[in-house]
Amino acid sequence: MISVIILTHNEETNIARCLDSVSWSDDILIVDSFSDDGTVEIAKRYGARVIQRAFEDFSSQRNFASEQGNLKHEWVLHLDADEIVTAELQAELARAMFADKDAYRISSRLIFCGKFLRRAGLFPSYQVRFGRKQALRFKQVGHGQRETLEPRRIGTLKASLLHFNFSKGLCDWVEKHNRYSTAEARQNVYGSADIDFTVLDLLSFTTDRRRRAAKKIFRRLPCRPTIRFIYTYLFRGGILDGKAGFTYCRLIAWYEWLIVLKEREIAAHARGKT
């Protein structure tokens, strides 16, 4: 069997749907950041265990759950409340436990305006979300988390999560990405977790290494918001995702613009102190 960890904060819009998708698990742990809506009540109604912890960052929440959550099973699936596990992914998770890896990357299908953004959403992009309880730990990078395992110990699953990133509305997305842009800007100014990646990694056989090397190079380019829009909308084919694709590409370019502006502000503030 598999234990499931779900991070929540005011997720009454999403949590029931997420819990329905993992009803096959007999050990579901909600790590809640003191929600003041119906999240906790809904989770308990579904039979999930709930522990509350003030939110520091994604990596510390996930590591806390693995270490202090009294999980029943060796294998753990990490989710956000706006994600859904498909039947195909459930079946693949069950098979993956018997392979020789300690963790697995899982792709997600971004749903926007009721549409799967295959191109604008840069599918498939992967995160390590499934692994052995004792082996899988995370470190914080920018606004998100990254695994600490060696690449050779990580496998890749074919099935995907469904990600309803806009399920709480555009205002919620904007507020979250305003916070995320601050974390990204600080990471870019004060030091990158991708310091070990070089231009040669663009030729790597490993998708993660290619993506992280490209991201490191991208951060040094001028006109990044424009480049990001052109890349997602034209080169990655977001134009083929219709109106939803165009809107999402514009939003992602705006997000990149926020990061750039905040990098300048942080750097100027740092210079003012010296």
Side-chain angles (χ1 to χ4, degrees), residues 59-195:
S59 62
S60 62
Q61 293 295 91
R62 297 195 192 283
N63 292 339
F64 172 81
S66 294
E67 295 163 4
Q68 306 294 328
N70 295 318
L71 301 174
K72 289 183 180 181
H73 305 298
E74 178 187 9
W75 285 88
V76 181
L77 175 64
H78 292 264
L79 296 176
D80 293 332
D82 60 357
E83 296 172 333
I84 289 180
V85 177
T86 63
E88 294 79 9
L89 178 57
Q90 176 193 348
E92 193 171 7
L93 293 172
R95 294 192 299 270
M97 292 188 294
F98 300 100
D100 61 351
K101 301 295 184 181
D102 287 328
Y104 290 88
R105 305 174 188 88
I106 304 176
S107 61
S108 63
R109 295 173 176 255
L110 177 63
I111 310 299
F112 178 55
C113 296
K115 181 182 180 65
F116 164 39
L117 299 184
R118 176 180 293 276
R119 302 164 186 86
L122 303 183
F123 180 82
S125 57
Y126 293 92
Q127 291 189 57
V128 174
R129 291 293 197 84
F130 182 57
R132 298 181 190 273
K133 177 173 59 178
Q134 300 302 326
L136 181 57
R137 291 294 182 272
F138 299 95
K139 60 183 177 181
Q140 192 67 18
V141 179
H143 77 272
Q145 74 282 317
R146 185 171 297 167
E147 73 287 348
T148 59
L149 282 168
E150 298 176 11
R152 63 181 177 82
R153 298 169 64 189
I154 302 172
T156 302
L157 301 184
K158 294 180 179 179
S160 304
L161 293 164
L162 299 184
H163 187 195
F164 294 85
N165 199 16
F166 290 84
S167 54
K168 292 195 287 184
L170 184 59
C171 286
D172 176 77
W173 188 93
V174 168
E175 289 172 2
K176 285 194 300 186
H177 282 73
N178 183 37
R179 297 194 304 272
Y180 294 168
S181 64
T182 301
E184 292 285 348
R186 286 174 177 163
Q187 181 70 50
N188 293 347
V189 171
Y190 291 121
S192 169
D194 293 331
I195 192 169

Side-chain angles (χ1 to χ4, degrees), residues 29 33 43 51 57-58 65 76 91 102 116 127 138 144 155 166 184 193 211 217 255-256 258 262:
L29 176 64
S33 303
I51 56 177
D57 53 47
F58 288 103
V76 181
D102 287 328
F116 164 39
Q127 291 189 57
F138 299 95
F166 290 84
E184 292 285 348
R211 179 173 58 84
I217 294 168
Y255 173 57
E256 192 65 42
L258 276 184
K262 290 181 181 182

Side-chain angles (χ1 to χ4, degrees), residues 6-11 15 30-35 39-40 81:
I6 306 173
L7 305 186
T8 63
H9 177 68
N10 291 342
E11 293 288 355
I15 190 61
I30 305 292
V31 182
D32 181 73
S33 303
F34 295 97
S35 295
T39 299
V40 172

